[in-house]
Amino acid sequence: MESRDCAKAIYYDQLCAVEPKFPFSENQLCLTFTWKDAFDKGSLFGGSVKLALASLGYEKTCVLFNAAALASQIASEQNLDNDEGLKAAAKYYQLASGAFGHIKDTVLSALNREPTMDISPETVGTLSHIMLAQAQEVIFLKATSDKMKDAVIAKLANQAADFYGDAFKQCQYKDNLPKEVLPVLAAKHCIMQANAELHQSILAKQKKRFGEEIARLQHAAELVKTVASRYDEYVSVKDLSDKINRALTAAKKDNDFIYHDRVPEVKDLEHIGKAALVRATAITPPLSQKFTDLFEKMVPMAVQQSMSIYSQRKAETINRLVGTMREATNLCNGVLASLNLPAALEDLSGDSIPQSIAEKARSIVQQGGLQSIEQLIRDLPELLTRNREILDESLKMLDDEETTDNELRTKFNQRWNRTPSGDLYKPLRAEGANFRNILDKAVQADQVVKDRYNTHCDMIALLCKSESELNAAIPSANPTKTLQGSEVVNVLRSQLAQLDEIKKERETLEGEIKAVTFDMSITFLTALAQDGAINEEQLSGSQLDQLYGAYNQRVQASLRTQEELLGQVQTSHQEFSSLKQSNTEANQREEVLKKLASAHDSYVEISNNLREGTKFYNDLTEILLKFQNKCSDIVFARKTERDELLKELQQSIAREPSAPSFNVPAYQSTPAAPAGGPTPAPRTVFQQQPQQAQQQPQAKPQPPARPPPPSFTPQAASMTPTSAPPTGPPSSNPPPMAPPSQAQGPPYPSYQGYPGYFQMPMGYNPYAYGQYNMPNMPNMPNVPYMPYQANQGQGGYPAAPPTGQPYPGYPQQPPQQQPYYPQQ
């Protein structure tokens, strides 16, 4: 089984890939992950310690813990009698050490709160040292199997003893780890030290230092003797002890009869060097070789946010350019309508419908006339009501859940230790207030459109009538045929044609501006990869200037040209008016024609505004549905969290000691004890039924007293087999024991002043160990190979909202859409 391709590694890689692309937090995408403490086995009245957090970093930490545990289990199951098994074991122990070390460095920043004991920096740091010690021991076994030089093997064994010592020191005061750990680590340290002395003694013999050989063998024999006498319950050193004793007997015999070399003191022996050939594997995702990013096309959150702001800037730029052109066109139409142009030039006969007015009338009829506008106006209140209802229902869900949370917080006080709903919902409420403000502005814009329609509806209705009815409604005037073909008329017509050309050019230009597209995600991704951050304002401003700079210049040129032409038109119209015969009938006819031209322009603008308003309400409905779904999701997650917390509080309250109160009759009360005598224990009296009292007048025998629970002290692991338990009753008030000022080493032979002397530190390996020459011990009950295997369960993502939830979808960040604003 390859750990790099296991499901845990693939899942961890997927979490790392998806983390920067989704806003995982309590107030955005709220996914709660629940894990139980790996080393806490719970109690009779409650389960093991667990922690639930809405943090993807917490999920990554726990999954990596399990992956490290799996790697250590794979290593422990390797066959260490062949070269392939030794290589694989060393590889996976180093991988596990690196994973635990990575958790140690990142867990506090990933959680932003106190973690459970199993993933605390102290615990995982100890586990990392244990894995590294086992990897070094595997290297020692491989060197022994490959028959390398004794000097190298001695250094490898001495380094392994050093690693076990570091682990022992870190683990010495950790109460959450199983009690078997301390003696196993102490034994491993002694065994590795003994192996180092054994191989160093062979090197001394080769150099004809027979006294040093005997001293090292004697030290090694005392080390394994300590292990055999104190830790034989966990490891066996019989083979190593026999090997050392045989070598020591032969060395003493040769020295007594042949060499007569002086045997030095252990403290005078030369220090054995160390050679560390293992190191923790760095954790750099992806861990799996077969990993495929399921969300590869999604960009990181920083890029998404930048893209959202860029889209707003782009929309503002387009709206500004298009709005400027539309305002200019409306101004032009208003000026021409006030001058009754071009109708005044076409109405030289004085009794027929001007061609421009006839075309305007036909255009209104083709677009649906009054009926289309009135239908759009009738639809707006229904769309508005639908949006208001969605928004009100969304905020009501938040209000109801917050009310329940406040009631429970008042009831349980400090026990209700979760984030207040009022704090959690602030971003959502701000978003809802923004939506309500948008709706209020939209209502004002609707009213402006309705008022304008009411102002022009009579003239619009006139334009919708037949040609004969329209001609009859327009007053007649004296003919002015004398102006036909005059220079002033020709100039005016030319100027009006130029204005029409400008308006057509603006329509084309508006389409071009709206059609401009550019993918800024590549630019933002490149900036994020190079600089580690995105300067959105600078990048967006530069790109928008590049895309729309030329269009802005064309729009300004169009405005300047129109301004010049309108000035010329006004001058020419004054000349035309002075040549035209003026009377009351002509003035009335011209006034009606002006109103008809203005009514057509108003009809077009009102129709556009109403269609934009309808589209606005429909688009806003989709956004509000997503907002409602977001509120529903977080309320559902909060309800799930609330139910779990209530269940835990009920269990906690049930486990609290409670002494029932019984009212004892006065005639059954115990008389006062004599002065100086002991105070008798109060009796609990249970009242019986009358018949039972007659049949059983004697008191019911009480069961024997419950024995006190067994106590365990850290020193119990280091007691020698020959030590006898204390006799006599235990003292009710034992003297308090202060912890030692520094980590205490195991009771193995040591000599102060010896260069190789090591003040034994302690640590823990939660995985099983084998014989003295194996890096793992036999699988014992309740001591899994995997430190994070027992009682593990991931708190699943809250299920989908109940059937009937009408609004699917979930926006990352609803766009701030502005209501349309008609021209007044």
Side-chain angles (χ1 to χ4, degrees):
M1 176 182 178
E2 283 289 333
S3 176
R4 284 185 173 271
D5 296 333
C6 73
K8 289 183 177 61
I10 295 176
Y11 179 46
Y12 178 80
D13 292 338
Q14 198 66 61
L15 292 175
C16 293
V18 80
E19 185 176 23
K21 300 178 181 180
F22 289 90
F24 291 99
S25 63
E26 276 190 317
N27 55 4
Q28 295 189 57
L29 185 53
C30 184
L31 289 179
T32 303
F33 302 99
T34 304
W35 290 90
K36 295 182 180 179
D37 192 314
F39 303 115
D40 185 83
K41 297 180 173 54
S43 62
L44 179 62
F45 299 101
S48 57
V49 175
K50 65 180 179 180
L51 179 62
L53 291 178
S55 167
L56 196 68
Y58 176 55
E59 175 77 349
K60 286 172 51 184
T61 299
C62 295
V63 170
L64 185 59
F65 191 104
N66 271 5
L70 179 60
S72 69
Q73 185 179 16
I74 294 174
S76 67
E77 293 177 353
Q78 298 299 316
N79 182 5
L80 302 183
D81 293 333
N82 59 64
D83 192 63
E84 293 299 324
L86 289 167
K87 289 180 180 178
K91 169 187 171 184
Y92 287 120
Y93 276 131
Q94 292 176 84
L95 180 61
S97 177
F100 286 128
H102 183 79
I103 295 174
K104 175 186 176 183
D105 297 335
T106 60
V107 62
L108 294 181
S109 59
L111 270 63
N112 291 324
R113 59 160 294 167
E114 190 68 23
T116 51
M117 288 298 295
D118 56 341
I119 58 173
S120 65
E122 296 80 9
T123 301
V124 291
T126 299
L127 297 177
S128 178
H129 277 82
I130 293 172
M131 296 300 105
L132 203 61
Q134 292 183 106
Q136 181 72 19
E137 185 177 357
V138 170
I139 297 298
F140 158 75
L141 295 177
K142 187 176 187 308
T144 304
S145 175
D146 294 344
K147 302 185 184 308
M148 297 182 69
K149 295 181 179 180
D150 291 289
V152 175
I153 297 176
K155 292 178 180 179
L156 293 174
N158 196 32
Q159 183 65 68
D162 197 14
F163 282 155
Y164 276 118
D166 289 340
F168 189 95
K169 182 177 181 180
Q170 292 193 17
C171 164
Q172 188 168 3
Y173 300 121
K174 289 180 174 56
D175 297 333
N176 62 316
L177 302 178
K179 57 182 175 51
E180 296 87 359
V181 175
L182 295 177
V184 169
L185 291 178
K188 283 287 185 176
H189 175 80
C190 294
I191 291 171
M192 288 294 98
Q193 192 83 31
N195 275 288
E197 296 291 352
L198 174 61
H199 286 277
Q200 193 69 18
S201 71
I202 298 174
L203 182 63
K205 182 178 181 180
Q206 293 172 356
K207 295 180 179 180
K208 301 186 182 303
R209 300 174 182 173
F210 304 107
E212 178 185 346
E213 176 191 10
I214 295 173
R216 293 192 181 277
L217 289 173
Q218 287 176 344
H219 189 201
E222 291 174 351
L223 288 168
V224 295
K225 182 179 179 181
T226 300
V227 175
S229 63
R230 299 170 185 252
Y231 313 118
D232 60 335
E233 180 183 353
Y234 307 101
V235 294
S236 173
V237 289
K238 185 177 183 305
D239 293 341
L240 179 61
S241 178
D242 293 343
K243 183 177 181 180
I244 293 174
N245 288 332
R246 286 196 301 269
L248 178 58
T249 301
K252 283 184 177 181
K253 182 177 179 181
D254 291 344
N255 191 56
D256 291 342
F257 288 97
I258 302 174
Y259 307 115
H260 304 287
D261 195 6
R262 185 184 68 84
V263 178
E265 296 289 336
V266 174
K267 63 182 181 180
D268 297 331
L269 293 176
E270 183 181 354
H271 174 60
I272 302 175
K274 300 174 184 177
L277 297 186
V278 295
R279 63 178 179 179
T281 303
I283 300 300
T284 54
L287 302 180
S288 172
Q289 297 176 348
K290 298 181 180 179
F291 170 69
T292 301
D293 187 358
L294 299 178
F295 303 92
E296 182 179 4
K297 294 183 179 180
M298 295 193 66
V299 295
M301 272 302 301
V303 177
Q304 287 186 17
Q305 294 172 353
S306 299
M307 286 292 296
S308 177
I309 300 175
Y310 167 75
S311 298
Q312 294 179 10
R313 295 183 189 276
K314 179 181 176 182
E316 291 173 358
T317 301
I318 294 176
N319 291 338
R320 176 174 54 80
L321 294 175
V322 173
T324 300
M325 290 190 294
R326 288 184 179 180
E327 288 177 1
T329 300
N330 292 334
L331 174 64
C332 178
N333 292 336
V335 171
L336 295 180
S338 66
L339 301 177
N340 192 27
L341 294 174
L345 298 180
E346 299 165 353
D347 191 34
L348 297 179
S349 63
D351 55 359
S352 62
I353 301 175
Q355 182 65 26
S356 61
I357 298 298
E359 291 178 357
K360 287 178 170 59
R362 285 193 294 270
S363 173
I364 290 179
V365 173
Q366 290 175 358
Q367 296 181 38
L370 285 178
Q371 291 79 7
S372 64
I373 289 185
E374 290 175 351
Q375 182 62 42
L376 290 173
I377 292 176
R378 286 194 299 268
D379 290 342
L380 287 181
E382 181 180 352
L383 298 175
L384 172 66
T385 302
R386 179 180 62 180
N387 286 332
R388 285 193 186 278
E389 289 176 351
I390 297 173
L391 181 59
D392 292 341
E393 290 174 3
S394 303
L395 297 177
K396 186 177 183 298
M397 285 190 293
L398 301 182
D399 293 338
D400 293 344
E401 199 285 326
E402 183 176 350
T403 300
T404 303
D405 181 71
N406 292 335
E407 291 174 354
L408 292 172
R409 189 175 305 280
T410 303
K411 180 178 179 180
F412 292 103
N413 296 326
Q414 296 181 352
R415 293 191 177 199
W416 197 252
N417 57 351
R418 71 168 184 167
T419 305
S421 296
D423 297 342
L424 197 60
Y425 295 157
K426 284 182 180 179
L428 289 175
R429 293 195 183 280
E431 195 173 352
N434 182 49
F435 287 137
R436 194 173 297 282
N437 184 43
I438 290 175
L439 286 174
D440 293 340
K441 290 182 178 179
V443 171
Q444 297 174 4
D446 293 343
Q447 190 59 45
V448 171
V449 174
K450 293 177 184 178
D451 293 342
R452 186 164 189 175
Y453 169 72
N454 293 331
T455 302
H456 298 279
C457 63
D458 294 337
M459 285 298 167
I460 294 175
L462 182 59
L463 288 172
C464 293
K465 293 182 179 181
S466 63
E467 185 174 347
S468 58
E469 292 176 325
L470 178 60
N471 191 19
I474 301 175
S476 300
N478 294 330
T480 55
K481 294 183 179 179
T482 56
L483 295 178
Q484 289 281 6
S486 66
E487 183 68 20
V488 175
V489 173
N490 293 335
V491 169
L492 269 175
R493 285 176 178 170
S494 174
Q495 292 169 345
L496 293 177
Q498 295 181 42
L499 287 176
D500 288 338
E501 186 66 25
I502 289 177
K503 287 189 282 188
K504 291 179 181 179
E505 289 179 356
R506 285 175 182 165
E507 293 178 358
T508 304
L509 185 59
E510 180 177 337
E512 293 178 4
I513 291 175
K514 291 181 178 180
V516 173
T517 58
F518 183 79
D519 186 7
M520 280 293 291
S521 61
I522 299 176
T523 303
F524 290 144
L525 283 171
T526 303
L528 184 62
Q530 292 178 351
D531 306 331
I534 300 176
N535 189 341
E536 183 277 330
E537 184 177 1
Q538 178 182 355
L539 294 175
S540 297
S542 174
Q543 187 62 42
L544 290 174
D545 289 343
Q546 181 178 350
L547 292 175
Y548 297 101
Y551 291 109
N552 186 54
Q553 294 177 2
R554 292 172 61 182
V555 169
Q556 296 301 322
S558 174
L559 295 180
R560 289 192 296 270
T561 303
Q562 174 181 295
E563 185 178 0
E564 294 175 0
L565 282 173
L566 285 177
Q568 296 172 7
V569 166
Q570 289 176 334
T571 302
S572 300
H573 183 266
Q574 288 177 357
E575 296 179 8
F576 174 76
S577 298
S578 63
L579 295 176
K580 187 177 179 181
Q581 291 182 356
S582 177
N583 54 43
T584 304
E585 293 178 353
N587 292 337
Q588 291 177 350
R589 179 179 177 85
E590 186 171 354
E591 189 66 26
V592 172
L593 292 177
K594 289 180 181 179
K595 290 182 178 179
L596 289 175
S598 178
H600 169 267
D601 295 338
S602 297
Y603 177 87
V604 173
E605 186 175 356
I606 291 171
S607 296
N608 291 334
N609 288 338
L610 289 174
R611 291 189 179 92
E612 289 176 358
T614 302
K615 182 178 184 301
F616 161 77
Y617 282 123
N618 289 329
D619 293 343
L620 185 60
T621 298
E622 295 183 5
I623 297 172
L624 288 174
L625 292 178
K626 295 177 182 179
F627 174 72
Q628 185 185 49
N629 199 23
K630 185 194 298 187
C631 295
S632 175
D633 286 346
I634 192 171
V635 167
F636 184 83
R638 291 286 286 178
K639 180 181 180 299
T640 303
E641 181 186 19
R642 181 185 69 207
D643 293 342
E644 291 183 359
L645 184 55
L646 278 173
K647 183 178 179 181
E648 292 178 0
L649 286 175
Q650 290 171 356
Q651 293 176 351
S652 175
I653 293 173
R655 290 194 298 267
E656 290 181 354
S658 59
S661 176
F662 298 95
N663 295 324
V664 182
Y667 64 86
Q668 291 183 349
S669 60
T670 305
T679 302
R683 294 186 302 158
T684 302
V685 178
F686 300 91
Q687 297 182 0
Q688 299 176 332
Q689 297 297 329
Q691 294 179 359
Q692 294 176 346
Q694 293 176 4
Q695 295 173 1
Q696 299 177 357
Q698 69 277 11
K700 184 178 180 180
Q702 298 295 325
R706 172 187 253 177
S711 59
F712 173 77
T713 60
Q715 289 79 4
S718 61
M719 291 176 60
T720 62
T722 57
S723 59
T727 60
S731 173
S732 59
N733 295 310
M737 296 181 63
S741 59
Q742 61 181 0
Q744 301 299 310
Y748 72 96
S750 59
Y751 303 90
Q752 288 288 353
Y754 170 49
Y757 169 78
F758 183 81
Q759 183 64 32
M760 181 60 187
M762 300 193 77
Y764 164 56
N765 186 352
Y767 315 105
Y769 288 84
Q771 302 298 324
Y772 74 93
N773 60 348
M774 302 284 285
N776 59 301
M777 60 185 284
N779 191 16
M780 299 181 296
N782 302 323
V783 184
Y785 285 114
M786 296 169 58
Y788 200 68
Q789 181 181 10
N791 297 327
Q792 289 306 309
Q794 173 184 337
Y797 175 65
T803 304
Q805 175 70 20
Y807 309 124
Y810 186 88
Q812 294 296 327
Q813 186 174 1
Q816 305 297 325
Q817 185 168 355
Q818 299 297 329
Y820 62 93
Y821 297 98
Q823 298 297 323
Q824 301 187 11

